[in-house]
Amino acid sequence: MSAGLSLHDPLEAHHHQQSEDVVDVRRRALAEIDNAKFGWFHIRACLVAGIGFFTDSYDIFAINLCSTIMGYVYYADATGSAKNTTPTSIDMWVKGSTQLGCIFGQLAFGYLADRLGRKKMYGTELIIIIVCTIGGAFAGNTARGLSVYWILFIWRFVLGIGIGGDYPVSAVLTSELATSKNRGAMIAAVFAMQGFGIVAAAIVSIIVLACFRTAIEGDQLMLDYVWRIIMGLGVVPGILALYSRLTIPETPRYTLDVEQNVHRAARDVRATVSATGHKTIDDVHEPLHPDHVQVKAQKPTWTEFYHYFKQWKHFRVLMGTSVTWFALDVAFYGVNLNSSIILTAIGFSGTGTPYHALIRISAGNIILNLLGTLPGYWVTVFTIDRLGRRTIQFIGFTMLLILFCILGFAYHQILDKSVAAFIVLITLAQFFQNFGPNTTTFIIPSEAFPTRFRSTCHGISAASGKVGAVVAQLGFFHLKDRGGKNAFIPQLIQIFALFMLIGLIFTWFVPETKGKTLEELSDELDN
């Protein structure tokens, strides 16, 4: 018996020491990331991820303008109200195809980024976006069978897969590279680039239309060049960001907690933190030999996922992030049904010659986004690490509930008595969507879950949101004209208010992540 103990005790002591070494190096490595001085590396990470979101929103918004332009090309010979207008059913599916693709992309890339690593997936989604944007710009009618709209639907669906994949990968990668102090602002800044992408699409459309003005006034079919150029230019920012995405390092957290390669994680931390001028692990302690810290990687499995989330304390968080994002997106995409009314009210409706109508629509959209959307995004960036994610989400849902109740129950009275008041209320709604749940529902899932499941959970939450977008775009799109053109919009806004109440209730299930490390939030401090 004593001989057996003497043989095994040294081995057990070695394993115990190895385990302590791993925990110690992991703790120090994570502390280096969390407490690093904000520097160029963090700015670069935000820019690389942000340009992707700029491209995403450009592509999503550009199709709204392009679909309108295509009506002047492919329905120029139609008669009556159908002339120069893309039919509602076709318009709905061309725009909705991207949202459908996003659902698949968010789920697939979310899982793969946990299974294969953030670095291996980062850039892949951008390649899909670049290829599909070019493909869509060259879409055309086939001799028999598929029309240009169906070809565009296919390209836009696959494009949506790439855009959807950008959500979990960019959010989680930014979250895992950020300092605890500035993490909220960094992720919010990445997401806020969507606002610039929306405005850029409208500005590009004005520039391209101006370049083709003489040609369009001579022959409106020349607009066929215009929509293709507007759409195709969406690849430019993506191409500029592609190399940086493909060469960005793996996050040390993934290397530590999933690959369990502590030695390589220490090198990644040096590469990450040294650019900030902060002391690195090896400046303070001698580096551990890789044989002492190498552990066989254990990739996350669905069985492990199930056992983790069958516990209520964990499932409630995933339920909270998913339901709040779903509730928000129903209203976020649904409220855009009012854009034509607002544009008409401020004198930017699509009337007159094709050139002047399209110029007014583009200019009107710039004004709308500058009024509410962009300010909401950037107020969040500058306040989120002081006010907190949960607080801003509560404020946003509460204000949207109040605004939608006012708009829904007094819709016609407000429009009849004061168009200016209607515009103010809609602008406030856009502001509190972005200084509120539109931004926080993106941020919280990238912080609240363990490293092994973080990207998967963000993908599930984001996909839930896009289901809400599909409900709004494909379901409510027809309802708005029930009883006459735009006759059902007041009732729809009342429905949106109900969804804001749902979002407000389920916000109680999400944690406040302000100022905490990712390991504190997921109980992984010494795991």
Side-chain angles (χ1 to χ4, degrees):
M1 180 71 71
S2 61
L5 284 172
S6 64
L7 285 173
H8 289 290
D9 282 352
L11 184 60
E12 290 178 3
H14 172 74
H15 287 316
H16 179 70
Q17 182 61 46
Q18 181 183 16
S19 177
E20 286 187 344
D21 288 345
V22 170
V23 171
D24 181 55
V25 174
R26 177 181 181 274
R27 185 186 296 115
R28 287 188 276 121
L30 295 177
E32 293 288 351
I33 300 169
D34 291 330
N35 301 316
K37 181 181 177 182
F38 186 80
W40 169 244
F41 178 85
H42 300 105
I43 296 172
R44 177 175 174 267
C46 288
L47 288 174
V48 171
I51 290 174
F53 272 87
F54 177 97
T55 305
D56 297 346
S57 62
Y58 180 99
D59 286 331
I60 291 174
F61 183 76
I63 191 61
N64 297 328
L65 299 170
C66 291
S67 181
T68 302
I69 296 171
M70 290 171 72
Y72 287 97
V73 176
Y74 298 102
Y75 290 89
D77 297 328
T79 58
S81 60
K83 184 176 178 62
N84 295 332
T85 304
T86 300
T88 300
S89 58
I90 295 176
D91 181 65
M92 177 183 69
W93 282 106
V94 168
K95 294 176 181 176
S97 60
T98 309
Q99 308 296 347
L100 290 171
C102 279
I103 296 173
F104 292 94
Q106 286 159 342
L107 293 173
F109 276 77
Y111 168 72
L112 290 172
D114 280 339
R115 183 73 184 176
L116 303 178
R118 287 55 161 141
K119 176 178 172 57
K120 288 184 179 178
M121 301 310 300
Y122 209 43
T124 305
E125 78 293 342
L126 202 53
I127 292 172
I128 294 174
I129 292 170
I130 291 169
V131 171
C132 292
T133 299
I134 295 172
F138 285 97
N141 289 311
T142 56
R144 290 183 178 86
L146 297 177
S147 70
V148 62
Y149 286 102
W150 278 110
I151 298 294
L152 195 55
F153 172 88
I154 295 169
W155 281 115
R156 299 289 301 181
F157 177 81
V158 183
L159 172 72
I161 294 176
I163 291 175
D166 203 18
Y167 275 69
V169 183
S170 287
V172 168
L173 189 140
T174 306
S175 175
E176 292 179 353
L177 292 176
T179 66
S180 297
K181 180 180 178 181
N182 301 309
R183 190 175 61 238
M186 284 180 63
I187 306 171
V190 169
F191 194 64
M193 291 299 289
Q194 285 190 328
F196 289 126
I198 294 170
V199 174
I203 292 173
V204 168
S205 68
I206 290 175
I207 294 172
V208 177
L209 283 166
C211 292
F212 278 80
R213 178 174 183 173
T214 303
I216 295 167
E217 291 176 343
D219 179 6
Q220 76 177 53
L221 295 184
M222 294 298 290
L223 284 166
D224 196 41
Y225 289 101
V226 172
W227 75 263
R228 296 176 189 278
I229 293 171
I230 293 171
M231 186 178 293
L233 286 174
V235 304
V236 174
I239 291 173
L240 293 176
L242 183 58
Y243 175 78
S244 295
R245 286 202 171 196
L246 293 173
T247 56
I248 203 165
E250 181 59 87
T251 70
R253 281 185 163 89
Y254 186 86
T255 309
L256 283 166
D257 294 344
V258 180
E259 294 181 345
Q260 299 186 18
N261 188 332
V262 182
H263 183 71
R264 187 159 71 86
R267 292 202 310 269
D268 291 342
V269 170
R270 285 201 303 276
T272 302
V273 178
S274 60
T276 68
H278 199 73
K279 283 189 175 182
T280 62
I281 294 173
D282 290 353
D283 294 329
V284 183
H285 298 275
E286 285 298 317
L288 293 172
H289 191 276
D291 293 338
H292 293 165
V293 295
Q294 183 66 46
V295 181
K296 184 179 180 181
Q298 296 180 355
K299 299 292 185 179
T301 64
W302 286 114
T303 301
E304 186 182 3
F305 183 90
Y306 167 75
H307 284 295
Y308 182 84
F309 283 102
K310 74 177 182 180
Q311 301 177 58
W312 171 245
K313 67 177 182 178
H314 298 143
F315 176 74
R316 70 193 292 271
V317 179
L318 181 58
M319 178 182 68
T321 58
S322 299
V323 175
T324 52
W325 205 333
F326 170 81
L328 178 276
D329 271 13
V330 169
F332 182 78
Y333 287 90
V335 79
N336 290 329
L337 299 174
N338 288 287
S339 60
S340 61
I341 297 172
I342 304 170
L343 291 175
T344 301
I346 62 177
F348 287 89
S349 60
T351 56
T353 66
Y355 171 79
H356 288 100
L358 294 168
I359 284 287
R360 277 197 291 268
I361 291 173
S362 300
N365 278 295
I366 292 173
I367 293 171
L368 290 181
N369 284 285
L370 291 178
L371 285 175
T373 303
L374 271 176
Y377 277 127
W378 289 96
V379 169
T380 304
V381 171
F382 291 113
T383 62
I384 193 163
D385 285 314
R386 290 196 296 273
L387 296 178
R389 291 70 153 150
R390 201 163 177 253
T391 300
I392 291 176
Q393 188 158 305
F394 270 126
I395 292 171
F397 272 128
T398 301
M399 291 303 300
L400 289 169
L401 173 60
I402 295 170
L403 290 167
F404 287 149
C405 282
I406 294 171
L407 284 166
F409 289 101
Y411 185 84
H412 292 294
Q413 295 92 319
I414 296 171
L415 264 182
D416 293 341
K417 292 184 178 180
S418 176
V419 172
F422 182 82
I423 294 172
V424 169
L425 290 169
I426 289 291
T427 299
L428 285 172
Q430 291 177 326
F431 176 83
F432 282 107
Q433 281 177 332
N434 296 296
F435 176 61
N438 188 41
T439 304
T440 55
T441 53
F442 176 80
I443 294 172
I444 296 172
S446 69
E447 302 176 302
F449 301 102
T451 304
R452 298 173 65 76
F453 309 128
R454 187 169 292 127
S455 185
T456 300
C457 292
H458 195 285
I460 291 171
S461 303
S464 300
K466 280 298 177 278
V467 170
V470 170
V471 168
Q473 287 197 324
L474 303 186
F476 293 159
F477 198 86
H478 287 299
L479 280 178
K480 77 182 182 74
D481 294 325
R482 185 179 178 184
K485 185 174 178 60
N486 295 328
F488 202 70
I489 282 183
Q491 290 80 3
L492 282 180
I493 296 177
Q494 293 168 23
I495 295 172
F496 298 156
L498 177 61
F499 277 100
M500 295 304 93
L501 178 60
I502 293 171
L504 185 61
I505 293 170
F506 277 85
T507 297
W508 288 101
F509 294 106
V510 302
E512 177 53 72
T513 58
K514 178 186 71 170
K516 298 179 181 179
T517 69
L518 298 179
E519 288 63 44
E520 288 175 315
L521 291 166
S522 56
D523 296 325
E524 292 183 302
L525 282 173
D526 293 316
N527 187 6

